[in-house]
Tab-separated table of all heavy atoms in Angstrom:
chain	number	residue	atom	x	y	z
K	1326	PHE	N	9.186	-8.276	-7.363
K	1326	PHE	CA	10.033	-9.426	-7.016
K	1326	PHE	C	9.200	-10.380	-6.166
K	1326	PHE	O	8.494	-9.942	-5.262
K	1326	PHE	CB	11.250	-8.978	-6.198
K	1326	PHE	CG	12.258	-8.175	-6.976
K	1326	PHE	CD1	12.171	-6.793	-7.046
K	1326	PHE	CD2	13.294	-8.816	-7.644
K	1326	PHE	CE1	13.098	-6.048	-7.771
K	1326	PHE	CE2	14.232	-8.081	-8.364
K	1326	PHE	CZ	14.134	-6.696	-8.433
K	1327	TRP	N	9.330	-11.686	-6.464
K	1327	TRP	CA	8.626	-12.674	-5.649
K	1327	TRP	C	9.630	-13.471	-4.832
K	1327	TRP	O	10.707	-13.830	-5.313
K	1327	TRP	CB	7.817	-13.628	-6.532
K	1327	TRP	CG	6.713	-12.935	-7.243
K	1327	TRP	CD1	5.476	-12.626	-6.770
K	1327	TRP	CD2	6.751	-12.428	-8.579
K	1327	TRP	NE1	4.743	-11.965	-7.720
K	1327	TRP	CE2	5.509	-11.830	-8.845
K	1327	TRP	CE3	7.728	-12.410	-9.587
K	1327	TRP	CZ2	5.197	-11.233	-10.062
K	1327	TRP	CZ3	7.426	-11.815	-10.799
K	1327	TRP	CH2	6.179	-11.243	-11.034
K	1328	GLY	N	9.246	-13.781	-3.596
K	1328	GLY	CA	10.084	-14.632	-2.755
K	1328	GLY	C	10.818	-13.832	-1.699
K	1328	GLY	O	10.653	-12.631	-1.613
K	1329	LYS	N	11.586	-14.536	-0.901
K	1329	LYS	CA	11.789	-15.958	-0.957
K	1329	LYS	C	10.503	-16.695	-0.581
K	1329	LYS	O	9.904	-16.400	0.454
K	1329	LYS	CB	12.907	-16.368	-0.004
K	1329	LYS	CG	13.222	-17.852	-0.066
K	1329	LYS	CD	14.217	-18.275	0.977
K	1329	LYS	CE	14.295	-19.807	1.008
K	1329	LYS	NZ	15.257	-20.251	2.019
K	1330	GLY	N	10.116	-17.671	-1.441
K	1330	GLY	CA	8.904	-18.386	-1.144
K	1330	GLY	C	8.708	-19.602	-2.017
K	1330	GLY	O	9.371	-19.760	-3.047
K	1331	VAL	N	7.777	-20.433	-1.598
K	1331	VAL	CA	7.506	-21.686	-2.302
K	1331	VAL	C	6.560	-21.443	-3.470
K	1331	VAL	O	5.470	-20.902	-3.279
K	1331	VAL	CB	6.869	-22.723	-1.350
K	1331	VAL	CG1	6.419	-23.956	-2.128
K	1331	VAL	CG2	7.847	-23.107	-0.249
K	1332	SER	N	6.978	-21.833	-4.659
K	1332	SER	CA	6.071	-21.839	-5.803
K	1332	SER	C	5.488	-23.239	-5.936
K	1332	SER	O	6.199	-24.203	-6.209
K	1332	SER	CB	6.819	-21.461	-7.081
K	1332	SER	OG	6.025	-21.815	-8.197
K	1333	GLN	N	4.169	-23.335	-5.720
K	1333	GLN	CA	3.540	-24.658	-5.775
K	1333	GLN	C	3.536	-25.197	-7.195
K	1333	GLN	O	3.708	-26.401	-7.408
K	1333	GLN	CB	2.137	-24.575	-5.177
K	1333	GLN	CG	2.215	-24.149	-3.703
K	1333	GLN	CD	0.859	-24.103	-3.020
K	1333	GLN	OE1	0.220	-25.124	-2.845
K	1333	GLN	NE2	0.424	-22.915	-2.625
K	1334	GLY	N	3.377	-24.332	-8.195
K	1334	GLY	CA	3.392	-24.776	-9.582
K	1334	GLY	C	4.744	-25.374	-9.964
K	1334	GLY	O	4.807	-26.419	-10.626
K	1335	HIS	N	5.824	-24.711	-9.534
K	1335	HIS	CA	7.152	-25.225	-9.870
K	1335	HIS	C	7.468	-26.500	-9.089
K	1335	HIS	O	8.121	-27.403	-9.600
K	1335	HIS	CB	8.217	-24.153	-9.608
K	1335	HIS	CG	8.174	-23.039	-10.602
K	1335	HIS	ND1	7.232	-22.043	-10.567
K	1335	HIS	CD2	8.940	-22.778	-11.697
K	1335	HIS	CE1	7.422	-21.216	-11.574
K	1335	HIS	NE2	8.457	-21.633	-12.277
K	1336	SER	N	7.006	-26.574	-7.845
K	1336	SER	CA	7.207	-27.799	-7.063
K	1336	SER	C	6.497	-28.972	-7.740
K	1336	SER	O	7.060	-30.064	-7.883
K	1336	SER	CB	6.673	-27.608	-5.643
K	1336	SER	OG	7.328	-26.533	-4.996
K	1337	ASP	N	5.260	-28.725	-8.198
K	1337	ASP	CA	4.508	-29.778	-8.889
K	1337	ASP	C	5.224	-30.227	-10.159
K	1337	ASP	O	5.251	-31.422	-10.475
K	1337	ASP	CB	3.100	-29.272	-9.256
K	1337	ASP	CG	2.215	-29.107	-8.032
K	1337	ASP	OD1	2.551	-29.670	-6.974
K	1337	ASP	OD2	1.189	-28.406	-8.139
K	1338	ALA	N	5.802	-29.273	-10.879
K	1338	ALA	CA	6.482	-29.613	-12.136
K	1338	ALA	C	7.647	-30.561	-11.869
K	1338	ALA	O	7.890	-31.500	-12.643
K	1338	ALA	CB	6.960	-28.345	-12.832
K	1339	ILE	N	8.364	-30.335	-10.776
K	1339	ILE	CA	9.488	-31.227	-10.449
K	1339	ILE	C	8.965	-32.611	-10.052
K	1339	ILE	O	9.525	-33.642	-10.430
K	1339	ILE	CB	10.344	-30.635	-9.314
K	1339	ILE	CG1	10.922	-29.281	-9.732
K	1339	ILE	CG2	11.477	-31.597	-8.936
K	1339	ILE	CD1	11.636	-28.535	-8.610
K	1340	ARG	N	7.862	-32.630	-9.315
K	1340	ARG	CA	7.319	-33.920	-8.867
K	1340	ARG	C	6.905	-34.816	-10.022
K	1340	ARG	O	6.823	-36.023	-9.874
K	1340	ARG	CB	6.113	-33.689	-7.933
K	1340	ARG	CG	6.511	-33.195	-6.553
K	1340	ARG	CD	5.329	-33.216	-5.573
K	1340	ARG	NE	5.571	-32.256	-4.510
K	1340	ARG	CZ	5.037	-31.045	-4.443
K	1340	ARG	NH1	4.180	-30.631	-5.376
K	1340	ARG	NH2	5.324	-30.227	-3.451
K	1341	ARG	N	6.622	-34.215	-11.171
K	1341	ARG	CA	6.208	-35.027	-12.330
K	1341	ARG	C	7.392	-35.717	-13.022
K	1341	ARG	O	7.206	-36.538	-13.909
K	1341	ARG	CB	5.440	-34.150	-13.332
K	1341	ARG	CG	4.033	-33.760	-12.849
K	1341	ARG	CD	3.181	-33.149	-13.957
K	1341	ARG	NE	3.645	-31.823	-14.342
K	1341	ARG	CZ	3.172	-30.666	-13.843
K	1341	ARG	NH1	2.227	-30.686	-12.913
K	1341	ARG	NH2	3.637	-29.514	-14.255
K	1342	ILE	N	8.629	-35.364	-12.620
K	1342	ILE	CA	9.813	-35.997	-13.235
K	1342	ILE	C	9.969	-37.413	-12.676
K	1342	ILE	O	9.800	-37.645	-11.471
K	1342	ILE	CB	11.071	-35.143	-12.953
K	1342	ILE	CG1	10.956	-33.797	-13.684
K	1342	ILE	CG2	12.347	-35.892	-13.377
K	1342	ILE	CD1	12.073	-32.815	-13.348
K	1343	LYS	N	10.321	-38.357	-13.576
K	1343	LYS	CA	10.506	-39.758	-13.197
K	1343	LYS	C	11.613	-39.875	-12.143
K	1343	LYS	O	12.677	-39.274	-12.265
K	1343	LYS	CB	10.895	-40.558	-14.444
K	1343	LYS	CG	10.930	-42.068	-14.256
K	1343	LYS	CD	11.007	-42.757	-15.623
K	1343	LYS	CE	11.221	-44.258	-15.461
K	1343	LYS	NZ	12.586	-44.581	-14.965
K	1344	GLY	N	11.332	-40.619	-11.075
K	1344	GLY	CA	12.332	-40.833	-10.036
K	1344	GLY	C	12.257	-39.834	-8.896
K	1344	GLY	O	12.996	-39.945	-7.923
K	1345	VAL	N	11.329	-38.858	-8.984
K	1345	VAL	CA	11.195	-37.856	-7.917
K	1345	VAL	C	10.041	-38.243	-6.997
K	1345	VAL	O	8.912	-38.456	-7.461
K	1345	VAL	CB	10.946	-36.447	-8.506
K	1345	VAL	CG1	10.594	-35.457	-7.389
K	1345	VAL	CG2	12.166	-35.969	-9.274
K	1346	LEU	N	10.329	-38.342	-5.697
K	1346	LEU	CA	9.280	-38.675	-4.722
K	1346	LEU	C	8.602	-37.419	-4.184
K	1346	LEU	O	7.408	-37.390	-3.952
K	1346	LEU	CB	9.886	-39.458	-3.553
K	1346	LEU	CG	10.342	-40.877	-3.866
K	1346	LEU	CD1	11.040	-41.476	-2.639
K	1346	LEU	CD2	9.142	-41.745	-4.275
K	1347	ASP	N	9.397	-36.379	-3.952
K	1347	ASP	CA	8.812	-35.120	-3.466
K	1347	ASP	C	9.763	-33.984	-3.843
K	1347	ASP	O	10.956	-34.220	-4.084
K	1347	ASP	CB	8.600	-35.174	-1.944
K	1347	ASP	CG	7.599	-34.115	-1.465
K	1347	ASP	OD1	7.032	-33.400	-2.324
K	1347	ASP	OD2	7.383	-34.011	-0.246
K	1348	ALA	N	9.218	-32.769	-3.873
K	1348	ALA	CA	10.051	-31.626	-4.260
K	1348	ALA	C	9.455	-30.337	-3.721
K	1348	ALA	O	8.234	-30.222	-3.527
K	1348	ALA	CB	10.157	-31.537	-5.785
K	1349	ARG	N	10.361	-29.408	-3.432
K	1349	ARG	CA	9.905	-28.073	-3.027
K	1349	ARG	C	10.781	-27.051	-3.744
K	1349	ARG	O	12.012	-27.143	-3.683
K	1349	ARG	CB	10.039	-27.897	-1.506
K	1349	ARG	CG	9.129	-26.854	-0.960
K	1349	ARG	CD	7.644	-27.286	-0.920
K	1349	ARG	NE	7.319	-28.097	0.236
K	1349	ARG	CZ	7.079	-29.408	0.193
K	1349	ARG	NH1	7.123	-30.069	-0.947
K	1349	ARG	NH2	6.789	-30.060	1.285
K	1350	GLN	N	10.141	-26.077	-4.417
K	1350	GLN	CA	10.882	-25.081	-5.175
K	1350	GLN	C	10.714	-23.705	-4.561
K	1350	GLN	O	9.579	-23.252	-4.387
K	1350	GLN	CB	10.421	-25.063	-6.636
K	1350	GLN	CG	11.325	-24.300	-7.566
K	1350	GLN	CD	11.040	-22.828	-7.729
K	1350	GLN	OE1	11.737	-22.162	-8.449
K	1350	GLN	NE2	10.034	-22.276	-7.060
K	1351	TYR	N	11.834	-23.072	-4.211
K	1351	TYR	CA	11.792	-21.708	-3.689
K	1351	TYR	C	12.208	-20.719	-4.776
K	1351	TYR	O	13.239	-20.908	-5.435
K	1351	TYR	CB	12.745	-21.557	-2.500
K	1351	TYR	CG	12.322	-22.367	-1.294
K	1351	TYR	CD1	12.741	-23.681	-1.137
K	1351	TYR	CD2	11.484	-21.818	-0.338
K	1351	TYR	CE1	12.345	-24.438	-0.043
K	1351	TYR	CE2	11.075	-22.564	0.767
K	1351	TYR	CZ	11.513	-23.873	0.907
K	1351	TYR	OH	11.105	-24.608	1.989
K	1352	THR	N	11.402	-19.689	-4.934
K	1352	THR	CA	11.743	-18.574	-5.805
K	1352	THR	C	12.467	-17.547	-4.939
K	1352	THR	O	11.975	-17.192	-3.861
K	1352	THR	CB	10.463	-17.957	-6.389
K	1352	THR	OG1	9.703	-19.003	-7.006
K	1352	THR	CG2	10.772	-16.862	-7.391
K	1353	VAL	N	13.634	-17.083	-5.399
K	1353	VAL	CA	14.455	-16.189	-4.582
K	1353	VAL	C	14.856	-14.966	-5.407
K	1353	VAL	O	15.435	-15.118	-6.484
K	1353	VAL	CB	15.729	-16.912	-4.100
K	1353	VAL	CG1	16.534	-16.023	-3.166
K	1353	VAL	CG2	15.384	-18.238	-3.420
K	1354	PRO	N	14.551	-13.762	-4.945
K	1354	PRO	CA	14.981	-12.569	-5.685
K	1354	PRO	C	16.507	-12.448	-5.646
K	1354	PRO	O	17.134	-12.838	-4.657
K	1354	PRO	CB	14.353	-11.401	-4.917
K	1354	PRO	CG	13.431	-11.991	-3.923
K	1354	PRO	CD	13.835	-13.412	-3.711
K	1355	VAL	N	17.092	-11.917	-6.691
K	1355	VAL	CA	18.538	-11.711	-6.732
K	1355	VAL	C	18.872	-10.424	-5.959
K	1355	VAL	O	18.373	-9.348	-6.312
K	1355	VAL	CB	19.022	-11.604	-8.197
K	1355	VAL	CG1	20.505	-11.246	-8.252
K	1355	VAL	CG2	18.742	-12.907	-8.939
K	1356	PRO	N	19.684	-10.537	-4.910
K	1356	PRO	CA	19.928	-9.364	-4.053
K	1356	PRO	C	20.475	-8.154	-4.816
K	1356	PRO	O	20.080	-7.017	-4.539
K	1356	PRO	CB	20.959	-9.876	-3.033
K	1356	PRO	CG	20.794	-11.362	-3.017
K	1356	PRO	CD	20.356	-11.749	-4.401
K	1357	GLU	N	21.361	-8.385	-5.779
K	1357	GLU	CA	21.936	-7.259	-6.517
K	1357	GLU	C	20.855	-6.517	-7.316
K	1357	GLU	O	20.896	-5.293	-7.444
K	1357	GLU	CB	23.031	-7.739	-7.484
K	1357	GLU	CG	24.267	-8.334	-6.821
K	1357	GLU	CD	24.052	-9.728	-6.232
K	1357	GLU	OE1	23.067	-10.408	-6.600
K	1357	GLU	OE2	24.874	-10.134	-5.379
K	1358	ALA	N	19.901	-7.263	-7.861
K	1358	ALA	CA	18.818	-6.630	-8.616
K	1358	ALA	C	17.937	-5.803	-7.682
K	1358	ALA	O	17.587	-4.647	-7.981
K	1358	ALA	CB	17.987	-7.694	-9.329
K	1359	LEU	N	17.608	-6.388	-6.519
K	1359	LEU	CA	16.815	-5.658	-5.520
K	1359	LEU	C	17.516	-4.359	-5.126
K	1359	LEU	O	16.881	-3.303	-5.032
K	1359	LEU	CB	16.646	-6.521	-4.260
K	1359	LEU	CG	15.421	-7.414	-4.153
K	1359	LEU	CD1	15.552	-8.289	-2.915
K	1359	LEU	CD2	14.140	-6.594	-4.064
K	1360	ASP	N	18.819	-4.443	-4.901
K	1360	ASP	CA	19.566	-3.253	-4.471
K	1360	ASP	C	19.508	-2.148	-5.520
K	1360	ASP	O	19.289	-0.978	-5.203
K	1360	ASP	CB	21.034	-3.610	-4.197
K	1360	ASP	CG	21.206	-4.389	-2.898
K	1360	ASP	OD1	20.241	-4.427	-2.103
K	1360	ASP	OD2	22.298	-4.946	-2.679
K	1361	LYS	N	19.712	-2.532	-6.773
K	1361	LYS	CA	19.681	-1.527	-7.842
K	1361	LYS	C	18.318	-0.845	-7.932
K	1361	LYS	O	18.222	0.360	-8.116
K	1361	LYS	CB	19.979	-2.197	-9.195
K	1361	LYS	CG	21.456	-2.425	-9.452
K	1361	LYS	CD	21.658	-3.006	-10.850
K	1361	LYS	CE	23.102	-3.454	-11.006
K	1361	LYS	NZ	23.314	-4.236	-12.219
K	1362	VAL	N	17.272	-1.643	-7.795
K	1362	VAL	CA	15.922	-1.085	-7.905
K	1362	VAL	C	15.633	-0.184	-6.705
K	1362	VAL	O	15.097	0.920	-6.849
K	1362	VAL	CB	14.887	-2.220	-8.025
K	1362	VAL	CG1	13.476	-1.680	-7.901
K	1362	VAL	CG2	15.071	-2.947	-9.355
K	1363	ARG	N	16.032	-0.639	-5.510
K	1363	ARG	CA	15.808	0.185	-4.308
K	1363	ARG	C	16.595	1.488	-4.373
K	1363	ARG	O	16.204	2.483	-3.771
K	1363	ARG	CB	16.219	-0.592	-3.057
K	1363	ARG	CG	15.220	-1.653	-2.679
K	1363	ARG	CD	15.556	-2.310	-1.346
K	1363	ARG	NE	14.513	-3.271	-1.018
K	1363	ARG	CZ	14.727	-4.522	-0.619
K	1363	ARG	NH1	15.961	-4.974	-0.450
K	1363	ARG	NH2	13.709	-5.328	-0.358
K	1364	ASN	N	17.722	1.481	-5.077
K	1364	ASN	CA	18.498	2.713	-5.239
K	1364	ASN	C	17.889	3.659	-6.267
K	1364	ASN	O	18.436	4.731	-6.513
K	1364	ASN	CB	19.919	2.380	-5.715
K	1364	ASN	CG	20.802	1.990	-4.566
K	1364	ASN	OD1	20.522	2.341	-3.418
K	1364	ASN	ND2	21.878	1.279	-4.862
K	1365	GLY	N	16.801	3.227	-6.909
K	1365	GLY	CA	16.178	4.076	-7.921
K	1365	GLY	C	16.973	4.138	-9.211
K	1365	GLY	O	16.870	5.091	-9.966
K	1366	GLU	N	17.758	3.075	-9.496
K	1366	GLU	CA	18.576	3.092	-10.708
K	1366	GLU	C	17.799	2.713	-11.967
K	1366	GLU	O	18.333	2.831	-13.078
K	1366	GLU	CB	19.779	2.130	-10.542
K	1366	GLU	CG	20.744	2.561	-9.457
K	1366	GLU	CD	21.865	1.537	-9.228
K	1366	GLU	OE1	22.191	0.779	-10.154
K	1366	GLU	OE2	22.405	1.504	-8.107
K	1367	ASN	N	16.548	2.235	-11.796
K	1367	ASN	CA	15.711	1.843	-12.941
K	1367	ASN	C	16.418	0.923	-13.916
K	1367	ASN	O	16.438	1.161	-15.130
K	1367	ASN	CB	15.213	3.090	-13.686
K	1367	ASN	CG	13.955	3.642	-13.062
K	1367	ASN	OD1	13.462	3.108	-12.074
K	1367	ASN	ND2	13.441	4.724	-13.620
K	1368	PRO	N	17.004	-0.178	-13.436
K	1368	PRO	CA	17.735	-1.069	-14.347
K	1368	PRO	C	16.797	-1.819	-15.283
K	1368	PRO	O	15.629	-2.035	-14.972
K	1368	PRO	CB	18.419	-2.053	-13.378
K	1368	PRO	CG	17.503	-2.107	-12.202
K	1368	PRO	CD	16.960	-0.707	-12.051
K	1369	GLU	N	17.319	-2.218	-16.449
K	1369	GLU	CA	16.617	-3.186	-17.301
K	1369	GLU	C	17.077	-4.566	-16.847
K	1369	GLU	O	18.272	-4.863	-16.885
K	1369	GLU	CB	16.988	-2.978	-18.779
K	1369	GLU	CG	16.491	-1.672	-19.373
K	1369	GLU	CD	14.969	-1.602	-19.462
K	1369	GLU	OE1	14.334	-2.673	-19.590
K	1369	GLU	OE2	14.427	-0.484	-19.379
K	1370	LEU	N	16.160	-5.407	-16.418
K	1370	LEU	CA	16.535	-6.700	-15.849
K	1370	LEU	C	15.921	-7.835	-16.649
K	1370	LEU	O	14.722	-7.820	-16.943
K	1370	LEU	CB	16.052	-6.789	-14.396
K	1370	LEU	CG	16.664	-5.790	-13.415
K	1370	LEU	CD1	15.901	-5.813	-12.094
K	1370	LEU	CD2	18.130	-6.091	-13.174
K	1371	THR	N	16.734	-8.817	-17.002
K	1371	THR	CA	16.192	-10.019	-17.643
K	1371	THR	C	15.566	-10.903	-16.571
K	1371	THR	O	15.763	-10.704	-15.373
K	1371	THR	CB	17.307	-10.827	-18.325
K	1371	THR	OG1	18.224	-11.274	-17.311
K	1371	THR	CG2	18.059	-9.984	-19.348
K	1372	THR	N	14.811	-11.901	-17.017
K	1372	THR	CA	14.225	-12.888	-16.112
K	1372	THR	C	15.306	-13.491	-15.207
K	1372	THR	O	15.135	-13.598	-13.994
K	1372	THR	CB	13.564	-13.997	-16.952
K	1372	THR	OG1	12.527	-13.397	-17.728
K	1372	THR	CG2	12.986	-15.099	-16.083
K	1373	ARG	N	16.432	-13.853	-15.800
K	1373	ARG	CA	17.518	-14.497	-15.064
K	1373	ARG	C	18.122	-13.556	-14.022
K	1373	ARG	O	18.584	-14.001	-12.964
K	1373	ARG	CB	18.596	-14.953	-16.053
K	1373	ARG	CG	19.684	-15.853	-15.492
K	1373	ARG	CD	20.666	-16.284	-16.592
K	1373	ARG	NE	20.052	-17.052	-17.660
K	1373	ARG	CZ	19.856	-18.377	-17.617
K	1373	ARG	NH1	20.269	-19.074	-16.573
K	1373	ARG	NH2	19.272	-19.010	-18.620
K	1374	GLU	N	18.127	-12.270	-14.327
K	1374	GLU	CA	18.746	-11.310	-13.403
K	1374	GLU	C	17.859	-10.976	-12.207
K	1374	GLU	O	18.331	-10.422	-11.222
K	1374	GLU	CB	19.111	-10.026	-14.153
K	1374	GLU	CG	20.322	-10.182	-15.069
K	1374	GLU	CD	20.491	-9.023	-16.036
K	1374	GLU	OE1	19.487	-8.332	-16.346
K	1374	GLU	OE2	21.622	-8.810	-16.498
K	1375	LYS	N	16.570	-11.282	-12.304
K	1375	LYS	CA	15.654	-10.905	-11.216
K	1375	LYS	C	15.500	-11.979	-10.138
K	1375	LYS	O	15.417	-11.668	-8.954
K	1375	LYS	CB	14.254	-10.569	-11.775
K	1375	LYS	CG	14.163	-9.170	-12.382
K	1375	LYS	CD	12.742	-8.854	-12.828
K	1375	LYS	CE	11.824	-8.498	-11.666
K	1375	LYS	NZ	10.424	-8.289	-12.114
K	1376	HIS	N	15.390	-13.231	-10.554
K	1376	HIS	CA	15.109	-14.312	-9.603
K	1376	HIS	C	15.985	-15.525	-9.868
K	1376	HIS	O	16.304	-15.813	-11.017
K	1376	HIS	CB	13.642	-14.780	-9.716
K	1376	HIS	CG	12.642	-13.736	-9.365
K	1376	HIS	ND1	12.069	-12.896	-10.290
K	1376	HIS	CD2	12.109	-13.372	-8.160
K	1376	HIS	CE1	11.229	-12.068	-9.681
K	1376	HIS	NE2	11.235	-12.332	-8.397
K	1377	THR	N	16.326	-16.251	-8.799
K	1377	THR	CA	16.909	-17.576	-8.943
K	1377	THR	C	15.897	-18.588	-8.405
K	1377	THR	O	14.957	-18.228	-7.685
K	1377	THR	CB	18.228	-17.711	-8.156
K	1377	THR	OG1	18.002	-17.328	-6.796
K	1377	THR	CG2	19.297	-16.815	-8.747
K	1378	ARG	N	16.123	-19.862	-8.773
K	1378	ARG	CA	15.215	-20.928	-8.317
K	1378	ARG	C	16.037	-21.986	-7.594
K	1378	ARG	O	17.044	-22.460	-8.104
K	1378	ARG	CB	14.446	-21.527	-9.491
K	1378	ARG	CG	13.576	-20.477	-10.209
K	1378	ARG	CD	12.518	-21.104	-11.085
K	1378	ARG	NE	11.661	-20.082	-11.690
K	1378	ARG	CZ	10.594	-19.542	-11.086
K	1378	ARG	NH1	10.263	-19.929	-9.872
K	1378	ARG	NH2	9.867	-18.620	-11.693
K	1379	VAL	N	15.581	-22.310	-6.374
K	1379	VAL	CA	16.291	-23.279	-5.546
K	1379	VAL	C	15.344	-24.449	-5.294
K	1379	VAL	O	14.219	-24.242	-4.823
K	1379	VAL	CB	16.739	-22.638	-4.217
K	1379	VAL	CG1	17.475	-23.664	-3.359
K	1379	VAL	CG2	17.624	-21.421	-4.483
K	1380	CYS	N	15.806	-25.663	-5.626
K	1380	CYS	CA	14.933	-26.838	-5.568
K	1380	CYS	C	15.468	-27.853	-4.564
K	1380	CYS	O	16.659	-28.189	-4.602
K	1380	CYS	CB	14.857	-27.505	-6.940
K	1380	CYS	SG	14.586	-26.347	-8.291
K	1381	TYR	N	14.597	-28.347	-3.711
K	1381	TYR	CA	14.914	-29.446	-2.803
K	1381	TYR	C	14.139	-30.656	-3.288
K	1381	TYR	O	12.912	-30.590	-3.435
K	1381	TYR	CB	14.536	-29.084	-1.365
K	1381	TYR	CG	15.381	-27.947	-0.837
K	1381	TYR	CD1	15.003	-26.624	-1.033
K	1381	TYR	CD2	16.584	-28.199	-0.191
K	1381	TYR	CE1	15.800	-25.578	-0.587
K	1381	TYR	CE2	17.392	-27.170	0.259
K	1381	TYR	CZ	16.993	-25.857	0.058
K	1381	TYR	OH	17.790	-24.834	0.491
K	1382	VAL	N	14.869	-31.740	-3.542
K	1382	VAL	CA	14.265	-32.896	-4.206
K	1382	VAL	C	14.562	-34.161	-3.407
K	1382	VAL	O	15.701	-34.392	-2.995
K	1382	VAL	CB	14.827	-33.047	-5.640
K	1382	VAL	CG1	14.250	-34.290	-6.319
K	1382	VAL	CG2	14.548	-31.787	-6.453
K	1383	VAL	N	13.510	-34.971	-3.207
K	1383	VAL	CA	13.695	-36.314	-2.660
K	1383	VAL	C	13.598	-37.283	-3.833
K	1383	VAL	O	12.559	-37.342	-4.506
K	1383	VAL	CB	12.614	-36.651	-1.610
K	1383	VAL	CG1	12.885	-38.050	-1.021
K	1383	VAL	CG2	12.568	-35.596	-0.514
K	1384	ALA	N	14.709	-38.021	-4.084
K	1384	ALA	CA	14.728	-38.952	-5.218
K	1384	ALA	C	14.460	-40.370	-4.726
K	1384	ALA	O	14.712	-40.706	-3.566
K	1384	ALA	CB	16.079	-38.889	-5.924
K	1385	GLU	N	13.937	-41.181	-5.643
K	1385	GLU	CA	13.776	-42.608	-5.332
K	1385	GLU	C	15.151	-43.224	-5.116
K	1385	GLU	O	16.138	-42.791	-5.714
K	1385	GLU	CB	13.091	-43.335	-6.498
K	1385	GLU	CG	11.611	-43.035	-6.602
K	1385	GLU	CD	10.999	-43.664	-7.863
K	1385	GLU	OE1	11.717	-44.416	-8.557
K	1385	GLU	OE2	9.816	-43.361	-8.126
K	1386	GLU	N	15.174	-44.252	-4.291
K	1386	GLU	CA	16.406	-45.022	-4.084
K	1386	GLU	C	16.952	-45.470	-5.439
K	1386	GLU	O	16.222	-46.032	-6.257
K	1386	GLU	CB	16.063	-46.253	-3.209
K	1386	GLU	CG	17.213	-47.149	-2.894
K	1386	GLU	CD	17.695	-46.941	-1.459
K	1386	GLU	OE1	16.908	-46.465	-0.620
K	1386	GLU	OE2	18.880	-47.253	-1.194
Side-chain angles (χ1 to χ4, degrees):
Chain K
F1326 291 90
W1327 294 277
K1329 183 186 170 180
V1331 172
S1332 165
Q1333 298 183 66
H1335 288 77
S1336 301
D1337 289 343
I1339 300 172
R1340 286 190 204 100
R1341 288 192 290 266
I1342 293 174
K1343 188 167 173 289
V1345 171
L1346 290 175
D1347 199 4
R1349 203 73 82 253
Q1350 193 271 179
Y1351 294 89
T1352 307
V1353 184
V1355 174
E1357 295 74 18
L1359 268 173
D1360 286 347
K1361 279 184 190 170
V1362 170
R1363 285 187 177 132
N1364 278 338
E1366 295 175 26
N1367 275 1
E1369 293 294 332
L1370 297 169
T1371 63
T1372 298
R1373 190 178 299 275
E1374 286 167 336
K1375 281 184 77 184
H1376 297 93
T1377 53
R1378 299 197 177 275
V1379 180
C1380 314
Y1381 294 88
V1382 177
V1383 182
E1385 286 174 6
E1386 180 104 23

